[in-house]
Amino acid sequence: MQTYLYDFYGELLTEHQRSIYEDFVLDDLSLSEIAKEEGISRQGVHDLIRRCDRTLEGYEEKLHLLERFLNTKEKVTRIQNLSRNYQDQKETVVMAEIEAISNEILEEL
């Protein structure tokens, strides 16, 4: 979840926050490794990462971009599954279901 939040809202963090957060979340460095690299305490790194997490979660609570993305992704997956199993069902039923799902996606945009 941290990676998704960072993908959507990471650019809203300061350059310093992004650097440390990327080291921890994306590069999988330990708190101690980051602290040594940045010349700050391990606790300082820990606190900064927690603040970043809260900041990113706060953006999601207000903007819901990740939630919308995941909902849309799930609906597209449903459409893909329907189209793969197209021959197993009646054409009109499949097409109606695909249309209904696509309408849901359009309404959410």
Side-chain angles (χ1 to χ4, degrees):
M1 187 64 142
Q2 284 178 309
T3 305
Y4 272 136
L5 286 172
Y6 182 77
D7 286 345
F8 278 87
Y9 306 111
E11 289 299 315
L12 300 172
L13 298 174
T14 67
E15 187 176 328
H16 178 70
Q17 289 172 323
R18 278 196 312 269
S19 173
I20 290 177
Y21 201 78
E22 284 177 7
D23 284 346
F24 184 73
V25 175
L26 304 179
D27 299 335
D28 204 27
L29 296 180
S30 71
L31 297 176
S32 298
E33 291 170 319
I34 298 168
K36 184 177 180 181
E37 183 179 295
E38 295 291 326
I40 58 178
S41 71
R42 183 185 175 285
Q43 185 64 44
V45 173
H46 179 267
D47 291 346
L48 187 133
I49 290 169
R50 286 184 51 114
R51 265 193 320 275
C52 288
D53 279 336
R54 283 194 303 272
T55 299
L56 297 174
E57 289 166 2
Y59 290 138
E60 176 59 17
E61 286 175 16
K62 291 177 180 135
L63 301 171
H64 305 284
L65 297 178
L66 177 56
E67 178 185 340
R68 289 181 195 160
F69 168 77
L70 293 175
N71 285 338
T72 301
K73 184 177 177 183
E74 183 269 329
K75 288 173 182 166
V76 169
T77 301
R78 284 175 39 207
I79 289 172
Q80 288 174 331
N81 289 335
L82 285 167
S83 64
R84 279 192 207 109
N85 301 323
Y86 177 71
Q87 281 113 14
D88 299 341
Q89 300 175 13
K90 289 186 178 181
E91 179 179 331
T92 54
V93 172
V94 172
M95 293 310 292
E97 208 166 330
I98 288 173
E99 184 177 352
I101 295 169
S102 15
N103 286 336
E104 287 176 24
I105 292 171
L106 290 173
E107 286 175 16
E108 291 171 1
L109 298 177

